Amino acid sequence: MNYRHAFHAGNFADLVKHAALLRLLDRQLRDIAPLTVVDTHAGAGRYDLTDAEQARSREAQAGVARLMEKHDLPPGLDELARHVRALNKGGPVAIYDGSPALVLERLRTQDTFIACELRPDDHTRLARLIDGRGQALCTDGFAQAVTLARDVKGRMLVLIDPPFERADDYARIVETAAAVRKAKPDAMLLIWTPLKDLETLDAFVRRIEHAGFCALINETRLRRLVDPMKLNGCVLAAIGAPDGFADDLEAISGWVARTLGEPGGAAKIWQAGGDA
């Protein structure tokens, strides 16, 4: 596996994903009942934006660096900006946290975090970050999520953001989501995918509809979908989302599309498969 989350840490898609995650956690942690969070493709969990490979892409400069210049941010993005500011002690953004670090900071003693990462080097970094506050597993996150769904008591949130290096990643996402919901019908899932062309998005949505469950689909387009070789945007699919989460997604993706996008950029939210 060549892909690493570090290549794109802090880009516009991370802002959408992580701001949405923070809003979802905020809504879920209002309930005192224990919550189990499973991150199927966790990466290293924390990233050095001054690293030569990451700095060369300059994606963080067009993402989190611009976020930190703005004020009057919508909920989620505001919380993310405050987290980044504290992490970097108010200075220039050199460190950026992925979903494992964001989750760990917010979970309570009654909650559980299980993060999966197959790359040995990133798994080592992930285990060091978690440091006993959860589990860092060097295993197939798709399969692990299904196994855990059969065993977890209480509430469950599954985060899915695979590398998209394999041709079957989109199929495995939907297969995993269907298996998780079959084993645990009240499980929540938050799924991230790239948005490069409309054909791939349509095929993904058709898979969701054919699987027989409902999803809230949120598109963030930075530009028109005319060049499928570019990361033109991103998609979040939320299954079992709580009331109000659609408004969170609309505010987050709308801000990113308007503020960081090009002419032709837009945000869109809609349901696939019926009521989400």
Side-chain angles (χ1 to χ4, degrees):
M1 185 182 297
N2 295 316
Y3 176 87
R4 298 177 67 188
H5 284 295
F7 294 159
H8 306 290
N11 71 355
F12 79 92
D14 262 2
L15 302 186
V16 174
K17 175 176 61 178
H18 293 145
L21 172 60
L22 291 175
R23 293 305 299 151
L24 188 53
L25 286 173
D26 178 74
R27 291 185 179 279
Q28 292 308 305
L29 297 179
R30 296 172 190 174
D31 188 329
I32 195 171
L35 175 68
T36 295
V37 180
V38 180
D39 196 335
T40 64
H41 299 78
R46 177 165 287 166
Y47 305 101
D48 179 0
L49 300 184
T50 66
D51 175 82
E53 286 188 335
Q54 209 290 334
R56 186 163 58 246
S57 78
R58 299 190 63 80
E59 290 190 26
Q61 292 300 313
V64 65
R66 291 188 62 190
L67 174 74
M68 303 308 290
E69 299 170 351
K70 305 299 181 179
H71 303 283
D72 298 322
L73 298 167
L77 286 167
D78 179 65
E79 189 174 357
L80 180 61
R82 284 188 276 112
H83 177 95
V84 172
R85 190 171 294 112
L87 179 65
N88 290 275
K89 297 179 173 57
V93 182
I95 305 296
Y96 185 81
D97 274 347
S99 53
L102 294 173
V103 170
L104 284 170
E105 185 178 271
R106 285 154 182 81
L107 291 192
R108 307 154 303 183
T109 56
Q110 67 265 41
D111 301 321
T112 303
F113 181 52
I114 302 164
C116 304
E117 175 54 47
L118 275 174
R119 277 187 65 104
D121 53 349
D122 279 349
H123 175 261
T124 297
R125 296 182 179 93
L126 177 66
R128 189 180 304 124
L129 175 73
I130 290 178
D131 191 27
R133 294 177 290 168
Q135 298 180 55
L137 306 179
C138 191
T139 190
D140 179 354
F142 285 127
Q144 189 66 35
V146 177
T147 298
L148 290 166
R150 300 187 184 112
D151 299 331
V152 165
K153 307 300 181 186
R155 298 180 302 145
M156 183 180 187
L157 169 61
V158 181
L159 312 175
I160 303 180
D161 175 14
F164 296 97
E165 286 188 333
R166 293 175 44 150
D168 66 346
D169 271 343
Y170 284 97
R172 291 202 71 191
I173 287 173
V174 178
E175 290 166 2
T176 299
V180 166
R181 292 281 286 186
K182 181 178 180 181
K184 191 170 180 57
D186 62 347
M188 295 169 290
L189 297 98
L190 184 63
I191 299 161
W192 182 94
T193 79
L195 178 55
K196 295 184 175 182
D197 62 272
L198 195 56
E199 182 178 352
T200 302
L201 173 59
D202 287 346
F204 175 59
V205 172
R206 285 196 299 272
R207 289 183 186 276
I208 289 176
E209 293 172 338
H210 292 162
F213 54 80
C214 309
L216 187 66
I217 307 295
N218 178 217
E219 300 177 45
T220 305
R221 302 188 185 189
L222 284 197
R223 60 186 69 87
R224 295 184 178 90
L225 307 182
V226 295
D227 184 353
M229 300 306 294
K230 288 184 176 181
L231 181 61
N232 294 309
C234 65
V235 172
L236 286 175
I239 300 166
D243 292 341
F245 189 55
D247 294 334
D248 293 333
L249 291 178
E250 189 170 27
I252 291 164
S253 62
W255 186 94
V256 170
R258 290 191 306 271
T259 309
L260 306 183
E262 302 172 1
K268 184 178 180 182
I269 189 162
W270 46 285
Q271 293 176 353
D275 295 334

